[in-house]
Amino acid sequence: MEELLKQSPFSFSGYKRGDTLEGTISSVSGREVLIDIGGKMEGVVGQKEWEEIKDFVARLKVGDKIKAVVVTAENDQGQMILSIKRAAHGNRWEKFNKLLETGEAISVRGVEINRGGLIAETEGIRGFIPSSQLSVEHQADLAKLINKTLMVKVIEVNREQNRLVFSERANVSEEERKVKLDLVKKSVTVGEKYTGKIAAIMPYGIFVSLESGADGLVHISEVSWEKSDDLEKIFKLGEEIEVLVLGINEADGKLNLSIRQLTEDPWTKLAGKYKEEQQVRGKVAQVTNYGVFVTMDKGVDGLIHITKIPPGTIYEVGQDIRCTIETVDLKNHKISLIPVLTEKPVGYK
């Protein structure tokens, strides 16, 4: 028997489930893909993964080399069932790397939204479009982008971290970019005040469209001298506001805008009001993992660093508190505070 097996033209390789092998595409017909794995043996690609690989299969040709994983060594019909999902996945990542290099645009479909932007899918792989990389029109209502097709460019690829980032705003030709930038520079002047309408409200800022047609972002840090956590409680879509142009983004012609710099900086009046070792009263404005912010004046907060908080002490937003000023840095808008204690706890520094 051993001699007969040696003389046989067939090779019994003993593949088992999970083995990776390399073969040659011998046939692509309809939903059937056959792979020659040597020794006069052929494997068939399983139908369960068809939806995930159909775009990849459409580009396969007879004679192409491909790696596959054994799903079933032998089914009831005596066939070896193979998976090429891993190969399709790797091929797509290679494609995204090429798209990153060439700058070619591709179409994606919106599938899910989160606080940061839109999850989009193409060829079975999901990527992320940050809100800042969507057009102002689309930023206004992300929910409308579900199942909508967008033309985007790949701006980041990291297969190890499974990170793929798209940009709709980057899908603009160099000529279009220059034309838009020239128009924006002619219609607005850095340092000047303009009227516009709120086009979108995001967790990180508000997008404003000016009467001239230019548009830009008021970052949350430029909304007010006071801390702003929920912009939707302060502003409304379509509301008319005045903004100051801080700069023009040369890459896309978008404006960097400010609202707070149109109002007086409350810190300019504090030169003689707050001094080191002075006791002050305030309300807890925010509790973070690195300390507690205390509001002492409108637009003026001091920080009790976490290392200055007595062990076991818990502060709540809105709580009245008495503190001693440790340091004052008016230039950088910083005041360090120490809570006033009736007695010094054990272990407190």
Side-chain angles (χ1 to χ4, degrees), residues 199-341:
I201 304 173
M202 306 304 295
Y204 54 84
I206 59 175
F207 287 90
V208 179
S209 295
L210 304 188
E211 294 174 342
S212 65
D215 53 69
L217 172 70
V218 181
H219 189 268
I220 192 168
S221 62
E222 289 295 333
V223 167
S224 170
W225 294 105
E226 300 177 60
K227 291 191 179 299
S228 305
D229 294 324
D230 190 348
L231 298 179
E232 290 187 344
K233 291 182 179 179
I234 306 173
F235 302 101
K236 294 181 180 179
L237 285 176
E239 179 183 348
E240 194 171 89
I241 60 172
E242 288 189 334
V243 293
L244 181 73
V245 177
L246 301 180
I248 302 173
N249 191 327
E250 294 284 333
D252 57 13
K254 299 295 181 182
L255 305 176
N256 298 321
L257 306 170
S258 175
I259 296 173
R260 75 168 189 168
Q261 294 193 37
L262 292 174
T263 61
E264 185 178 13
D265 181 355
W267 288 75
T268 58
K269 298 180 179 179
L270 302 182
K273 186 171 182 179
Y274 294 121
K275 296 180 180 179
E276 293 180 7
E277 299 186 2
Q278 176 185 349
Q279 284 198 7
V280 294
R281 287 186 177 275
K283 284 185 180 292
V284 175
Q286 187 179 5
V287 179
T288 71
N289 58 3
Y290 55 87
V292 174
F293 285 96
V294 179
T295 299
M296 300 179 296
D297 267 310
K298 186 175 181 179
V300 178
D301 289 351
L303 173 66
I304 305 174
H305 193 270
I306 190 70
T307 58
K308 303 296 181 181
I309 298 176
T313 301
I314 298 175
Y315 293 106
E316 296 182 355
V317 173
Q319 178 182 341
D320 290 317
I321 186 172
R322 194 154 56 99
C323 303
T324 298
I325 295 177
E326 184 177 36
T327 60
V328 179
D329 184 352
L330 296 180
K331 181 179 178 181
N332 294 303
H333 291 186
K334 292 181 180 179
I335 295 179
S336 298
L337 302 172
I338 302 174
V340 173
L341 307 173

Side-chain angles (χ1 to χ4, degrees), residues 157-171:
V157 179
N158 189 322
R159 184 177 180 181
E160 287 71 27
Q161 296 182 11
N162 198 36
R163 182 173 170 81
L164 179 62
V165 183
F166 303 123
S167 171
E168 182 189 24
R169 284 171 53 180
N171 184 31

Side-chain angles (χ1 to χ4, degrees), residues 12 41 93 100 134 223 264 268 274-275 343:
F12 296 86
M41 295 177 64
W93 282 101
L100 181 64
L134 289 165
V223 167
E264 185 178 13
T268 58
Y274 294 121
K275 296 180 180 179
E343 59 183 32

